[in-house]
Amino acid sequence: MHVPPALVAALVAALAAALCGAATLVARPAAAEATLFEHGRDAEGGALGLRPASQLYEAACDVDVQLRGAVATVEIRQRLVNPGPGALAARHDVDLPPGAVITGLALRGADGATEAVAVRADHPTVAATLGGVLGADPAVVIARPPGAASTHTLHLQPIAPDDEVVVTTRYTALAEVRAGALRLVLPGRSTRGKLTACRGTARAAAGPGARITRLLVDGIEPRARGAATFTIDAAPVVLDAELAFTGTTPVVWSQTEPLGEGWAATLVTVAAPPVRAAPMTGRRVLFVVDRSRSMELVGRAQVTRVIHAVAAALPVGAEVEAITFDRAAKRTLGGWRPADAAAITAIEQAVTTGDAVNGSDILGALALAHTVLDDGRREPALLVLISDGVVGEVTGRDLTAALAGTPSSLDALSIVLDPRHVRSPGSDALAAPARLLGGALVEVSVDDLASALTTVDEWLRPAWMDLALSGGLDAPGSVRAGSGFTRLRIHRTGGRPIVLTSVGAQAGAHAGEAPLRITAGPGPAAPIAALALAAPELATLDEGPAAAGDGPTPVVRARLERAHPAVTLERSLAVLTMAGKVARSRRAMVEGGGPFERITAIADIDDDVGPPARVAATGTGPSAVAAITMERLFRDQLQPRAYACYQRALGGAPTLAGTAHYTIVVGRGEITQVQLQGLGHPALDACLREAAFAMTLPLPDLAFHQDDQTIARYPLTLRLSDSRPIVVIGDADSSAPIDIDAIEGGVPAVRRPIRVDARTPLGGLRPSTPPATTPPRVHP
């Protein structure tokens, strides 16, 4: 059945509207499967395997959230009841927000409350067979590996019939700075296994330069003043502490907690105010959209989602026009039109129809954009550039020169879409128009696009560019209005305050304004020590960057981790038994770092946890464009086309001969750029250039191949022999064989040269002596 393209585009637009049309919607991740299980022995003494709780149940659950700056401390209190008839052990699978760490565990029963101590995660387990010497250790919480069904698991030893215990779990998490607020998402909890909904309260405090105006729960302000109340059931809860800024520049908070032995942990938070309530300057919006072959890894449907979301966030009365480009650029609407459904659908059709071809002439697209914008109208405009950043050897200076805009007339929003886990190789260049003119660079993975589009209105606000932090801390380079970021560090106590600076002009405040220099102010006191010690990126600080100084030695670090416990894949928290003659002495030994064996009356059941999900490789495989691949391209695709070009040219120039020199840039399965030093015959040179663009590469598998850029330079010899044309790829009689440099993209950039030796030139000629291999030339 044939479906008209217009109908397909309309359906795509309707789906995009349903997914991301309202920028004020809150993204709510799927509910977590935090389930209560029970196991033990039945009334006849037989083994009772692990099953969803039917006898045990949760009688109450309370949650307390304290948000101090961007640091959230959460305490969960659960009352678990066993109404009988027999004693049962329990297992409780729980989920925490991403990056959160459990810092405390306590158990209160008939014998009082007991706080957990830190132990090795790989501790052995022994059965309680020592009579009155020691009882069973009542609880332990462990971390799950990536890909497991939950982030943590709590094991409880048997709860006696007609008895109950209260389990208190404390964890620390970092809030995000989004839409001018501190945002914390609390995962939902399943009601399977006799769990109940949790009742919660939240309070928040900001750092200097800002204050909390209100606390929102799922976008709604509760009636209560001071503290927000909420309920966690199957759906997650989104807490937003809205910020009011006293100035128009970002605020920087520094929160430090001593670790001991001369070391400290510091969290730096940068939050930018929504400088302008309205989108960027301009009621005229020009979309410039890359639709070249490498964008197939992003997906055209993802591009149309972005176009639709940006259009929905434009101010009333805005006008739009669009330019699409591959190796040529062309206008879509032919003039400025109101930003209504018909215009947006026409733009989306231009993106989704037709084949994706090689070539990314972004300079030609921006030059055409300059022509479109320079039409004599005085209204300022907004340029929205959408690309995957695969633009060859184009620099930021090239882009700004081609666009030739002025800060008073134009803002630039560069949206870089990354497929899978990779980063754009050209994001720095695409940020250049925003740096000069004003605007922002937004780089987002297509895997995170649904969540990112909920704050698309932030994309349309200006950003502070070229940011840097002192103290050896990295900064993202730009911060959009209403957003921000956090950074953790472990360092010697004392030292200089953290300073946020910008180099050159700020894109959020147009070119010519003074650079930023903001010294961090003291944020509210918060427990960040365990969070810093558990952070994976800080795990090897003893071999860390020179700017941060030498980190603590492994022995010192182990003592610091015992002093500030957190549940990781290496460490767990265990509540030790206080029953028995040597219980207190044993606890003192374990707290001091001594050996620990978990004593159980009924063995913990942990055998149904699935294997970790397959983690995608990150550039560990070979280059997608191997030497043999290039050789086949030259032999099977370029040489026959070049031969046809040469034959046609000989009809008008019978003595034409010489060597053409190619420079071909390849990235993500696309011939991005072709430069040709030809024979001076216009028709032949144009045909040879198109012959190179016509080559077809396989698209890489970014879960396996390196995300690299390949630059191939080689001569192509055209000559007559016995009155017939000959085409030779690489000159067998010269010292210039095919020369290929592969430059791996992404962050950090690692360059790996690939060498191709032209020992078998084509065209029917046999080389007399294989040439010496020319060392590869690698260009940054």
Side-chain angles (χ1 to χ4, degrees):
M1 180 180 68
H2 175 70
V3 180
L7 178 58
V8 174
L11 291 173
V12 169
L15 178 60
L19 291 172
C20 56
T24 57
L25 290 179
V26 175
R28 297 170 66 91
E33 283 295 328
T35 308
L36 181 64
F37 296 92
E38 62 188 23
H39 62 99
R41 296 190 178 279
D42 57 25
E44 288 75 28
L48 179 65
L50 193 71
R51 67 183 185 187
S54 59
Q55 177 175 313
L56 300 180
Y57 68 94
E58 183 182 56
C61 177
D62 296 286
V63 180
D64 182 71
V65 179
Q66 298 284 340
L67 193 59
R68 302 178 180 95
V71 183
T73 55
V74 182
E75 182 174 283
I76 306 172
R77 296 176 299 279
Q78 298 168 270
R79 184 161 65 94
L80 302 177
V81 179
N82 181 8
L88 288 176
R91 196 189 92 183
H92 184 27
D93 296 338
V94 297
D95 266 331
L96 302 187
V101 295
I102 292 179
T103 58
L105 174 70
L107 193 71
R108 190 183 76 220
D111 298 330
T114 306
E115 190 74 25
V117 298
V119 298
R120 289 175 57 93
D122 58 352
H123 58 262
T125 300
V126 296
T129 59
L130 300 179
V133 178
L134 279 174
D137 295 322
V140 64
V141 62
I142 63 174
R144 288 293 178 207
S150 61
T151 62
H152 295 79
T153 293
L154 170 69
H155 290 284
L156 295 173
Q157 279 298 287
I159 304 173
D162 300 319
D163 200 0
E164 64 180 42
V165 295
V166 176
V167 181
T168 300
T169 308
R170 293 180 292 275
Y171 69 83
T172 304
L174 293 181
E176 293 182 281
V177 185
R178 296 186 64 176
L182 298 169
R183 171 170 291 183
L184 179 69
V185 180
L186 301 175
R189 61 201 323 257
S190 172
T191 54
R192 290 176 54 204
K194 291 203 170 181
L195 290 175
T196 186
C198 282
R199 298 175 301 174
T201 59
R203 295 173 177 82
R211 61 184 177 85
I212 305 295
T213 58
R214 58 179 181 167
L215 266 171
L216 304 180
V217 177
D218 293 335
I220 300 173
E221 183 177 9
R223 295 181 180 179
R225 291 287 182 178
T229 59
F230 56 89
T231 299
I232 306 177
D233 49 25
V237 171
V238 180
L239 301 176
D240 283 312
E242 289 193 347
L243 296 170
F245 295 81
T246 57
T248 58
T249 58
V251 296
V252 187
W253 306 327
S254 179
Q255 296 165 277
T256 299
E257 182 181 10
L259 298 175
E261 303 194 37
W263 295 93
T266 292
L267 175 74
V268 178
T269 301
V270 176
V275 184
R276 301 171 187 168
M280 292 179 193
T281 311
R283 298 170 70 89
R284 293 188 300 161
V285 180
L286 177 61
F287 290 92
V288 178
V289 184
D290 184 352
R291 49 156 298 148
S292 60
R293 191 164 189 266
S294 65
M295 290 291 287
E296 294 296 281
L297 295 173
V298 170
R300 299 190 191 188
Q302 308 288 19
V303 177
T304 59
R305 289 178 67 187
V306 172
I307 294 171
H308 188 90
V310 171
L314 295 178
V316 176
E319 296 179 307
V320 294
E321 169 62 302
I323 294 170
T324 60
F325 69 94
D326 36 47
R327 67 173 174 268
K330 58 183 178 182
R331 294 180 67 164
T332 297
L333 303 180
W336 295 104
R337 288 172 49 181
D340 54 20
I344 301 306
T345 299
I347 295 172
E348 292 171 348
Q349 283 182 326
V351 172
T352 56
T353 57
D355 296 330
V357 299
N358 287 318
S360 293
D361 188 10
I362 190 171
L363 296 181
L366 293 185
L368 178 57
H370 173 75
T371 301
V372 171
L373 294 168
D374 190 22
D375 57 359
R377 296 175 60 175
R378 295 186 177 182
E379 298 96 331
L382 169 64
L383 175 83
V384 179
L385 174 62
I386 304 174
S387 173
D388 62 351
V390 180
V391 293
E393 295 188 291
V394 172
T395 66
R397 181 174 297 181
D398 296 333
L399 296 180
T400 55
L403 187 56
T406 61
S408 61
S409 63
L410 183 63
D411 279 329
L413 170 61
S414 296
I415 302 174
V416 180
L417 301 178
D418 295 329
R420 294 183 62 90
H421 59 274
V422 300
R423 296 290 302 278
S424 164
S427 56
D428 285 344
L430 294 178
R435 289 193 184 102
L436 177 67
L437 304 172
L441 169 74
V442 177
E443 184 169 4
V444 59
S445 169
V446 292
D447 293 336
D448 303 325
L449 192 57
S451 175
L453 287 178
T454 63
T455 56
V456 72
D457 58 324
E458 289 183 18
W459 300 9
L460 300 179
R461 296 184 182 135
W464 286 266
M465 308 291 289
D466 299 318
L467 297 181
L469 282 170
S470 63
L473 294 168
D474 68 300
S478 67
V479 173
R480 300 188 303 277
S483 67
F485 63 93
T486 56
R487 292 293 184 269
L488 274 167
R489 65 188 291 243
I490 295 175
H491 58 95
R492 294 282 186 182
T493 54
R496 298 179 179 178
I498 300 297
V499 178
L500 176 73
T501 58
S502 67
V503 181
Q506 308 166 46
H510 286 170
E513 294 193 7
L516 289 177
R517 183 176 179 81
I518 303 171
T519 301
I528 61 169
L531 195 67
L533 289 168
E537 65 273 16
L538 303 180
T540 56
L541 260 189
D542 47 312
E543 302 176 11
D550 295 331
T553 65
V555 174
V556 172
R557 190 183 188 100
R559 291 201 296 265
L560 298 180
E561 290 174 350
R562 286 197 298 272
H564 306 279
V567 178
T568 65
L569 291 176
E570 291 75 35
R571 301 184 75 82
S572 300
L573 285 177
V575 177
L576 305 186
T577 179
M578 296 308 293
K581 301 175 182 178
V582 297
R584 294 188 182 278
S585 299
R586 175 177 177 252
R587 180 182 177 90
M589 177 192 67
V590 174
E591 285 180 329
F596 169 72
E597 290 182 325
R598 175 163 161 78
I599 303 173
T600 60
I602 297 178
D604 300 329
I605 296 182
D606 213 21
D607 57 1
D608 67 330
V609 178
R614 178 179 178 269
V615 179
T618 54
T620 57
S623 170
V625 187
I628 188 64
T629 302
M630 294 303 296
E631 289 177 349
R632 287 172 177 168
L633 282 175
F634 301 152
R635 181 186 67 234
D636 299 338
Q637 298 188 37
L638 181 60
Q639 194 270 348
R641 293 188 177 97
Y643 184 87
C645 293
Y646 189 33
Q647 276 190 318
R648 287 195 294 269
L650 287 174
T655 60
L656 183 64
T659 301
H661 295 270
Y662 278 101
T663 298
I664 299 177
V665 181
V666 179
R668 294 185 187 171
E670 176 191 320
I671 308 292
T672 305
Q673 291 177 314
V674 175
Q675 299 175 13
L676 180 71
Q677 183 181 344
L679 277 64
H681 188 283
L684 174 61
D685 292 348
C687 186
L688 291 177
R689 186 171 182 272
E690 284 300 307
F693 270 126
M695 293 189 295
T696 301
L697 280 162
L699 289 172
D701 179 359
L702 294 178
F704 175 69
H705 292 120
Q706 294 175 11
D707 181 30
D708 54 9
Q709 176 174 278
T710 300
I711 303 174
R713 301 177 180 85
Y714 63 92
L716 182 75
T717 301
L718 312 174
R719 64 190 182 194
L720 290 169
S721 177
D722 298 329
S723 299
R724 66 186 182 91
I726 301 285
V727 177
V728 182
I729 302 230
D731 188 349
D733 299 323
S734 77
S735 60
I738 301 170
D739 174 21
I740 297 176
D741 299 340
I743 302 180
E744 184 177 350
V747 181
V750 178
R751 295 171 172 81
R752 302 181 183 221
I754 296 176
R755 188 176 301 171
V756 176
D757 188 356
R759 292 189 175 129
T760 56
L762 305 177
L765 298 181
R766 296 175 58 85
S768 56
T769 304
T773 302
T774 302
R777 298 190 296 272
V778 178
H779 299 267

